[in-house]
Amino acid sequence: MTLDQALAFALVGFTVAGFVWGRLPYDLIALLGLLAGVATGIVPIKSAFTGFADDVVVIVVAALLVSAAIARSGVVEDIMRPLMPHMKTVQRQVTILVAAVTVLAMFTKNVGALAMFMPVAGQVARKNGTSVSKLLMPMAFGSLIGGLVTLVGTSPNIIVSKIRQDVTGEPFRMFDYAPVGLGVVAAGFLFLAFASRLIPERRPGGSMADAFAMDAYTAEAEIPEGSAIAGRTVADLEAAADNDILVRTIIRERFRRLEPSPAMVVKANDLLLLGGEPDGIERAVARAGLRLTGDAAARRTDIESESVVEGVVTPQSPAIGSRIGKLALETAHGVSILAVSRADTQIEQRLSSVRLREGDVLVLKGTSETVPPALAALRILPLAERSIVLGRNRRSFIPLGVLACAMLLTAFGVVSAVAAFFAAAVILLLLRVMSMHEAYQTVEASVIVLLAALIPLSEAIQTTGGTDLIAGWLSALLHNLSPTLSLFMVTLLAMAVTPFLNNAATVLMLGPIAAGLAQRLGLSPDPFLMAVALGSACDFLTPIGHQCNTIVMAPGGYRFGDYWRLGLPLSVIVLVVGVPLIAFFWPVMP
């Protein structure tokens, strides 16, 4: 072992130890490792920051943006609507939700796919009295196995494709993973659909959203001419919002106030007082084609500058006792009030006639320039915990169409995956599906920094000859084993390491080693790279090995030790099903 190799191994070892220690953020540990690599000369300064321009980072960023655009479009909720009435039992809820997340994770980043369906799971749990802990963990695991099917489904597949290009000159293509991934998906889905009883029932922690009742807010909406809901019943309108709203009052011909009943027919130009949470009201506005009466100024707001906030009227507010209509908020402050919530009181009058009281909670809309001074002038305290969707109606199938085009162009080899998904992200931003500010919020900087810092570190192992050295040691240990058993051991090693690092770090370190091992054994590197991708993408034992496991921990109320109960048998299934499939579809003999 040379001095450079020893330094490279020590550097990686200290980085891994930092990940396991867990006292510092993963991205900071990776940056410290990169700094140490530059300081010792193991990582040349000219190569230290190439990771930020690597294709892997670009694809991950673009996939996250496309996933977020689809989530914001509301198309996922609209597609799931016909299935909601059939999700009465826990068994059906788990089966349908896991199937939906798994399928979507095949075509978008698995973290994005899971994030899109978590609000749906919350609705289903609330409506049927199900503990959401019974739903979220199977969905997280479903997103992991769904990501195995395509190149862009999970980060390990993207990184392994790059390693294969470095080794053989040809990357894995979009659906090269599908033969193995689909087999694992079929077996894993059958297990997850019937194994929810292995998950302990937990009580999630409370949040700001729990402090509001279903009909806490009152919003005022108009039925415009040509609306699809005109001529339909009140029950139809409430059903359009998945019955998450109440039609409290109908105002017809300006002065007639009607007490609504489920069978009452609503007409064009009717004014409706709607009660519900902001997301439920938003669904009613979007699906029924309504128009919020307080949103006139905001409709002229550019997507880049619009701002929707939730705030509470403080005792010092000069607006207390004033009617909302008399405040002339649009003229004086450039904001409008979309909805009002008042503790223990249902508002039964038009919003313009409501006199504000101390403690009223408002949904205000304006621009990033007008909202902060308006809040200060009116002494309204913003509530920052909840993300408000009311007044941000951007429902559209455009993001789904752009994603489909990117997938097809990549699948048929017209353009590379990095070019297709980069173009998809830019096109969606150009079409104003989301603002640049929202795009920056979507892309987690910690993930990007982690990947960009680890890429030069992993390359240092290769450039110093460390991968060949480790491959030699492994080949000595495995040379008496059959090729299939060698694949099994590589997959098991990747599975064992991932919970303590994360999937990206595991692939970056084990991928080149697995390729070198295959070459030393005189075997094809492809099945060994597939084994690394499979093992590193399937951490079902801890909440820290993959983001999908992490993001459901708090909402599901899970403890660290809950994951292995469902995850251990699923890991065994992946090994038993996945390794033979790799050997079958990717022959080990060159």
Side-chain angles (χ1 to χ4, degrees):
M1 180 186 297
T2 67
L3 177 61
D4 284 349
Q5 289 173 346
L7 288 174
F9 287 140
L11 189 59
V12 172
F14 281 119
T15 303
V16 171
F19 288 152
V20 175
W21 183 46
R23 296 292 182 88
L24 295 175
Y26 283 177
D27 48 341
L28 178 56
I29 292 170
L31 287 174
L32 289 172
L34 180 59
L35 177 61
V38 172
T40 57
I42 297 302
V43 178
I45 187 64
K46 65 179 182 180
S47 304
F49 309 109
T50 55
F52 288 95
D54 196 274
D55 286 358
V56 172
V57 174
V58 175
I59 292 177
V60 169
V61 170
L64 287 173
L65 284 175
V66 173
S67 298
I70 294 174
R72 282 175 166 79
S73 72
V75 67
V76 171
E77 291 183 7
D78 291 342
I79 291 173
M80 291 296 294
R81 273 188 71 202
L83 298 175
M84 298 288 264
H86 305 288
M87 301 168 67
K88 298 299 183 183
T89 66
V90 174
Q91 177 71 58
R92 288 185 179 180
Q93 292 163 19
V94 172
T95 301
I96 293 173
L97 288 172
V98 170
V101 172
T102 302
V103 170
L104 187 59
M106 298 179 187
F107 304 104
T108 64
K109 193 83 166 56
N110 49 16
V111 177
L114 177 62
M116 292 180 210
F117 276 94
M118 286 178 65
V120 178
Q123 290 180 42
V124 171
R126 185 176 67 250
K127 289 178 182 296
N128 296 284
T130 304
S131 171
V132 76
S133 64
K134 290 290 187 181
L135 307 178
L136 292 183
M137 188 182 294
M139 290 168 61
F141 291 173
S143 70
L144 293 182
I145 59 176
L148 298 172
V149 177
T150 63
L151 173 68
V152 297
T154 185
S155 298
N157 288 1
I158 300 171
I159 300 171
V160 162
S161 177
K162 178 184 181 296
I163 294 172
R164 190 200 190 219
Q165 184 173 26
D166 295 339
V167 173
T168 67
E170 184 73 22
F172 285 124
R173 293 170 297 180
M174 177 65 72
F175 294 107
D176 282 349
Y177 300 90
V180 176
L182 288 173
V184 173
V185 163
F189 171 72
L190 288 175
F191 169 74
L192 291 172
F194 296 97
S196 61
R197 63 185 58 188
L198 296 177
I199 308 170
E201 188 167 317
R202 300 296 187 197
R203 184 181 297 275
S207 67
M208 180 64 71
D210 299 327
F212 295 90
M214 187 199 79
D215 59 348
Y217 274 102
T218 298
E220 185 178 311
E222 179 185 4
I223 302 179
E225 293 285 352
S227 170
I229 205 66
R232 308 282 294 276
T233 65
V234 169
D236 292 333
L237 174 56
E238 293 177 346
D242 302 326
N243 292 310
D244 279 347
I245 65 162
L246 297 173
V247 179
R248 290 183 179 161
T249 304
I250 299 175
I251 302 173
R252 185 168 293 167
E253 297 170 357
R254 297 185 64 184
F255 301 108
R256 293 177 58 198
R257 300 176 64 87
L258 306 177
E259 188 73 23
S261 65
M264 182 178 290
V265 174
V266 295
K267 300 180 180 180
N269 300 316
D270 281 351
L271 286 175
L272 310 173
L273 295 184
L274 305 177
E277 280 291 273
D279 56 348
I281 296 173
E282 187 275 335
R283 284 196 296 274
V285 170
R287 293 173 180 171
L290 307 181
R291 184 165 54 229
L292 289 171
T293 56
D295 203 14
R299 280 195 290 273
R300 300 190 295 271
T301 303
D302 182 76
I303 186 176
E304 293 293 342
S305 60
E306 73 174 5
S307 178
V308 181
V309 298
E310 192 176 27
V312 61
V313 178
T314 65
Q316 296 78 30
S317 174
I320 293 176
S322 298
R323 288 189 175 93
I324 291 176
K326 295 292 186 180
L327 289 172
L329 294 177
E330 180 183 344
T331 303
H333 300 286
V335 299
S336 55
I337 294 179
L338 304 184
V340 179
S341 173
R342 179 167 291 168
D344 303 322
T345 304
Q346 288 189 359
I347 296 174
E348 303 290 351
Q349 58 194 119
R350 294 195 60 178
L351 294 190
S352 59
S353 301
V354 172
R355 293 183 182 273
L356 291 180
R357 299 179 185 174
E358 174 189 342
D360 284 352
V361 182
L362 314 176
V363 176
L364 300 100
K365 184 171 183 178
T367 70
S368 55
E369 294 180 351
T370 61
V371 167
L375 293 175
L378 297 171
R379 299 293 193 273
I380 294 175
L381 182 67
L383 302 176
E385 185 175 343
R386 297 207 302 176
S387 175
I388 300 297
V389 296
L390 185 62
R392 296 187 176 189
N393 177 21
R394 299 173 204 152
R395 291 176 177 260
S396 166
F397 282 86
I398 290 175
L400 206 59
V402 171
L403 171 63
C405 290
M407 296 285 291
L408 290 173
L409 289 173
T410 304
F412 287 105
V414 179
V415 295
S416 65
V418 63
F421 278 83
F422 173 72
V426 173
I427 289 170
L428 289 175
L429 291 172
L430 184 64
L431 294 174
R432 320 303 279 164
V433 173
M434 67 169 64
S435 68
M436 292 299 297
H437 177 69
E438 290 170 333
Y440 289 126
Q441 288 183 317
T442 295
V443 179
E444 295 187 40
S446 60
V447 177
I448 306 308
V449 171
L450 176 68
L451 283 173
L454 286 176
I455 287 172
L457 287 179
S458 68
E459 291 176 349
I461 297 291
Q462 295 177 259
T463 55
T464 60
T467 54
D468 292 335
L469 187 63
I470 296 177
W473 294 340
L474 288 176
S475 64
L477 293 173
L478 302 178
H479 75 280
N480 290 325
L481 301 180
S482 67
T484 302
L485 192 54
S486 297
L487 283 178
F488 182 90
M489 296 303 295
V490 170
T491 308
L492 183 62
L493 178 62
M495 271 189 172
V497 172
T498 296
F500 302 101
L501 303 180
N502 73 22
N503 53 10
T506 299
V507 178
L508 285 167
M509 294 179 185
L510 288 186
I513 293 172
L517 171 64
Q519 291 172 340
R520 282 182 171 271
L521 295 174
L523 304 173
S524 170
D526 288 347
F528 286 85
L529 290 174
M530 282 285 175
V532 171
L534 178 66
S536 59
C538 294
D539 170 35
F540 307 118
L541 303 179
T542 72
I544 60 174
H546 196 283
Q547 288 173 296
C548 289
N549 293 352
T550 305
I551 63 175
V552 300
M553 189 175 185
Y558 301 120
R559 301 170 186 169
F560 194 96
D562 289 341
Y563 286 78
W564 70 269
R565 301 187 186 193
L566 187 67
L568 184 60
L570 183 57
S571 298
V572 173
I573 290 172
V574 169
L575 281 168
V576 171
V577 174
V579 173
L581 286 174
I582 291 174
F584 179 79
F585 288 104
W586 297 92
V588 294
M589 301 307 297

